[in-house]
Amino acid sequence: MSGTDLLDGFDLAALPGASAREAASARLRAGGWPTRRDEAWHYTDLAAGLRGFALGPAPAVEVAAELPEGQRVVFVNGRFDAARSTAPDWVGRLGGAAADTARGGVVVALNTALAEDGVAITLAPGQQGGTLFLVTLAAGRGETMPAIAPRHRIALGAGATLTLIETARGEGSYLHAPVFEVELGEGARLNHYRLQDESGEAVHVATIFAEIAGGAGYESFTLNRGARLSRNETHARLTGPAADVHLNAAQLLNGTQHGDVTTVVRHDAPDCASRQTVKSVLAGAARGVFQGRIEVDRIAQKTDGYQMNQALLLSDEAEIDSKPELEIFADDVKCSHGATIGALDPEQLFYLRSRGVPAAEAKSILIRAFLDEALEPVTDEAARAVFEAAIGAWWREGA
Amino acid sequence: MLEIKGLTATIDGKEILRGIDLTVPEGEIHAIMGPNGAGKSTLSYVLSGREGYEVTGGSVTYNGADLLAMEPEERAAAGVFLAFQYPVELPGVGNANFIRTALNAIRRARGEAELDAVQFLKEARAAVTALKMPDDMLKRNVNVGFSGGEKKRNEVLQMALLKPTLALLDETDSGLDIDALKIVAEGVNALRGPAFSALVITHYQRLLDHIVPDRVHVLAAGKIVRSGGPELALELEANGYAGLEAA
């Protein structure tokens, strides 16, 4: 597909904020989808993943789903579903306002050009938001591949807290390219838990920008198990002293799935901590990617950065590409990173089987144990339940 | 009853077991002694179904069923338990969960109802106390950070809870001090009864002071070269294994 006809299926002039959309679409048309020649996309060929698919606007559809109890916001094909949402008053919508175009690459430009809706969460200083589910449902049932590009904004005032549990599911072939803009005031805490469980024919490319003020904490865990091609790209910036960020993730992939976890953590203030534990379990001919970059500004003294990337390969054809990068300009910092690749240990398998545990169950126990370290910081019970169910289902569906 | 007839097995083409004949009737405990490299551990691994060993001849039946045709988990469900010489660490797997999963898998395979967490923990705590193990033994990850003695006691704890009818103890005494040795022996003796049999594999006689065997067999160069009563162990302790290969 050439760069010029990427957005031919869309009538951008009909959407509000046309000028920002035009600017973003011009950028997209000029560059086209990223290929392996783009350094940031060297291991994930988005152009190849979308070749042969004609993108079109996401139609209004109905998608049946079991919904979680409690506070929830439901989006279907990128549109707010008022009837099935139970949103508190601090949850608004990001109408059709076109978003900021300054940061991010081509995928963010696509979102900027197409975003029509999204959730806008605003918590006042000190406000306790409890747990909110963000349920996104999608369906691609026609000739074209719907492009679903919601823009979500989450702003927590000083000392406010929220646990956001996002589940992304769907059916058929579609592109889901959400962008999250997270802003945490001083001492605020956001637990951002994300389950990417999209349709096996879908492409999921999420971008998260998080700005974290002094003393604030951004605690995130993402589980990638759906979509034929996925990328979760997080840009976290620690802007005030003594802030902390956890960017943990796990991938459970099989068949010919491709899953990419990309992180950029920028330390722009002293005494901050960043922690990343990313675990990939790859079966069949699945391919996993981890790219993690830690940037430490010269004023960010006493930075404590940790990054661990581990892959468990369940077959000879599975593959992991791992690219850690450290860019440190301060002189008094502690930064460490590591990567391991391994297979299931036959001694451990035999030990379990010798105790009566059937081979398939023994494997699932060892895989769950492998994931444990990445899941450990997820203490919220509702989130735990979501992830445990997804991990259990992955196994039952035959990895 | 365990019946081993003419069992031969190789690892990487090298013959380790060269025709083992051995019968362990129900209710009896038999000891297998022998020098290093005689094939003692190989015998226990072949009986429990570990990969990497090729059975080239002979047969093994347990209560009439062909043991060698079963998967390791099927052997466990049939009542076979191997106490490992080197128990395996399972980081990220809690000990209580591990044992309960195993127990329930065996119960499922036998068509019995599973135990819930409360019922299981009650039994498990009682077994921990009986084995004089620290209380946190159930909470810790399986064998992770355990001392050598704790690992062996954890094997006996699993055995106590899984209640096998045929236990294979592979050098369970190695690395144990005398107090731990007595505790391990008590764990085995507690299971003794008309429906329980065991093969106690050991290099030294001292374990057999505490687990008194009905029969003692000497394994050398892949064959049983002598069999006798408990007094044979004492004789071996006094005279060593020298010369037995030729017997």
Side-chain angles (χ1 to χ4, degrees):
Chain A
M1 186 187 281
S2 76
T4 52
D5 56 5
L6 283 176
L7 298 174
D8 281 1
F10 301 87
D11 184 5
L12 297 181
L15 298 171
S19 64
R21 292 179 196 280
E22 283 303 333
S25 69
R27 195 169 157 202
L28 196 52
R29 283 173 212 273
W33 296 120
T35 67
R36 295 181 58 106
R37 287 191 298 277
D38 298 272
E39 201 195 334
W41 292 84
H42 182 66
Y43 300 105
T44 297
D45 193 339
L46 187 60
L50 291 173
R51 193 169 295 135
F53 292 89
L55 287 180
V61 290
E62 284 184 16
V63 181
E66 250 181 70
L67 298 172
E69 298 286 327
Q71 304 183 115
R72 63 172 184 257
V73 185
V74 181
F75 277 78
V76 182
N77 269 9
R79 290 179 180 78
F80 180 64
D81 182 341
R84 289 197 284 177
S85 296
T86 57
D89 60 3
W90 41 265
V91 175
R93 287 170 66 186
L94 213 76
D100 167 25
T101 58
R103 41 186 194 180
V106 171
V107 170
V108 176
L110 170 88
N111 179 281
T112 302
L114 300 179
E116 286 182 67
D117 210 342
V119 69
I121 295 168
T122 313
L123 287 180
Q127 196 175 353
Q128 315 289 301
T131 298
L132 175 71
F133 285 91
L134 172 59
V135 178
T136 73
L137 303 168
R141 293 163 177 158
E143 293 285 298
T144 58
M145 184 182 195
I148 301 160
R151 190 77 156 213
H152 304 297
R153 195 165 286 161
I154 300 149
L156 268 52
T161 62
L162 177 67
T163 293
L164 181 66
I165 303 174
E166 180 197 346
T167 58
R169 293 194 165 96
E171 57 186 66
S173 168
Y174 55 88
L175 168 66
H176 187 192
V179 170
F180 292 81
E181 293 174 305
V182 176
E183 251 179 78
L184 303 184
E186 285 188 6
R189 293 207 78 82
L190 175 66
N191 296 326
H192 193 182
Y193 300 130
R194 313 183 55 240
L195 169 63
Q196 184 277 98
D197 192 12
E198 306 276 20
S199 149
E201 296 167 61
V203 174
H204 177 103
V205 276
T207 311
I208 297 113
F209 296 103
E211 300 272 314
I212 304 146
Y218 179 66
E219 165 80 46
S220 96
F221 174 81
T222 300
L223 176 63
N224 272 339
R225 65 159 287 217
R228 63 180 163 88
L229 172 66
S230 70
R231 165 136 151 165
N232 282 280
E233 181 173 328
T234 306
H235 297 257
R237 197 162 78 92
L238 298 145
T239 62
D244 66 88
V245 61
H246 240 130
L247 299 180
N248 282 7
Q251 311 202 81
L252 298 172
L253 305 173
N254 59 22
T256 54
Q257 280 183 293
H258 178 109
D260 174 334
V261 173
T262 292
T263 63
V264 180
V265 177
R266 184 160 178 83
H267 286 260
D268 272 340
D271 301 313
C272 292
S274 64
R275 295 259 172 287
Q276 300 175 67
T277 302
V278 177
K279 305 256 187 173
S280 299
V281 180
L282 305 166
R287 184 152 178 214
V289 175
F290 171 72
Q291 304 186 103
R293 184 177 168 87
I294 303 175
E295 301 170 356
V296 181
D297 189 89
R298 65 184 169 77
I299 65 157
Q301 301 294 354
K302 306 283 182 194
T303 284
D304 182 1
Y306 170 82
Q307 184 189 87
M308 179 54 76
N309 167 235
Q310 296 182 306
L312 185 59
L313 304 184
L314 299 183
S315 84
D316 292 341
E317 290 146 280
E319 184 181 327
I320 177 85
D321 293 297
S322 181
K323 184 184 172 194
E325 286 179 281
L326 300 179
E327 194 182 277
I328 300 170
F329 292 104
D331 49 25
D332 184 14
V333 303
K334 196 171 83 185
C335 273
S336 64
H337 69 88
T340 67
I341 300 171
L344 283 177
D345 181 349
E347 295 286 324
Q348 294 182 332
L349 266 179
F350 175 62
Y351 193 57
L352 281 156
R353 295 180 71 191
S354 78
R355 296 300 180 251
V357 181
E361 193 180 352
K363 282 183 189 170
S364 77
I365 288 169
L366 294 178
I367 287 168
R368 180 61 191 79
F370 170 76
L371 298 175
D372 207 51
E373 204 186 332
L375 264 164
E376 207 182 351
V378 182
T379 49
D380 181 84
E381 272 183 36
R384 274 256 162 190
V386 166
F387 293 126
E388 295 292 359
I391 293 166
W394 184 75
W395 189 256
R396 279 193 301 278
E397 283 158 21
Chain B
M1 181 158 77
L2 176 71
E3 282 187 289
I4 305 174
K5 286 181 185 161
L7 181 65
T8 57
T10 60
I11 311 173
D12 298 330
K14 190 176 170 216
E15 192 167 52
I16 307 290
L17 303 183
R18 302 174 179 215
I20 296 207
D21 292 292
L22 179 66
T23 299
V24 183
E26 216 171 19
E28 291 192 7
I29 291 184
H30 288 204
I32 292 193
M33 302 184 70
N36 288 329
K40 301 193 299 292
S41 287
T42 297
L43 176 61
S44 69
Y45 283 136
V46 167
L47 294 180
S48 53
R50 188 185 189 186
E51 280 175 21
Y53 299 87
E54 198 190 342
V55 174
T56 48
S59 68
V60 180
T61 60
Y62 179 56
N63 294 339
D66 181 0
L67 201 62
L68 299 178
M70 299 182 193
E71 296 292 338
E73 56 267 34
E74 292 170 335
R75 301 182 197 204
V80 179
F81 178 93
L82 170 65
F84 281 56
Q85 184 179 0
Y86 303 108
V88 179
E89 296 184 7
L90 302 177
V93 181
N95 207 23
N97 246 338
F98 164 65
I99 304 175
R100 185 162 76 95
T101 302
L103 182 60
N104 281 337
I106 289 173
R107 292 177 73 100
R108 259 198 323 273
R110 293 177 182 165
E112 296 167 8
E114 295 187 23
L115 284 191
D116 66 31
V118 178
Q119 290 170 305
F120 171 75
L121 275 178
K122 206 177 146 193
E123 276 194 36
R125 289 207 184 98
V128 164
T129 307
L131 290 167
K132 299 186 178 68
M133 292 164 75
D135 289 341
D136 68 350
M137 204 73 146
L138 288 166
K139 287 183 193 151
R140 288 156 68 182
N141 285 344
V142 180
N143 295 326
V144 178
F146 284 30
S147 69
E150 284 176 331
K151 284 181 180 173
K152 295 299 178 75
R153 268 188 273 180
N154 199 31
E155 295 292 287
V156 177
L157 172 67
Q158 293 166 45
M159 188 172 71
L161 291 166
L162 298 178
K163 297 186 184 71
T165 51
L166 174 64
L168 312 168
L169 287 89
D170 187 6
E171 306 218 5
T172 301
D173 50 335
S174 66
L176 289 185
D177 61 31
I178 188 67
D179 292 327
L181 187 80
K182 281 181 183 168
I183 291 167
V184 163
E186 279 169 28
V188 176
N189 289 331
L191 290 171
R192 264 191 133 140
F196 176 79
S197 49
L199 261 186
V200 179
I201 294 168
T202 181
H203 191 76
Y204 301 104
Q205 185 270 336
R206 64 172 191 164
L207 178 64
L208 306 180
D209 287 341
H210 304 281
I211 305 173
V212 180
D214 297 291
R215 299 280 292 166
V216 174
H217 309 277
V218 179
L219 183 65
K223 277 185 177 173
I224 304 284
V225 292
R226 261 186 86 181
S227 295
E231 70 287 349
L232 178 57
L234 295 168
E235 188 192 320
L236 291 169
E237 184 75 0
N239 303 333
Y241 295 108
L244 280 171
E245 274 93 326

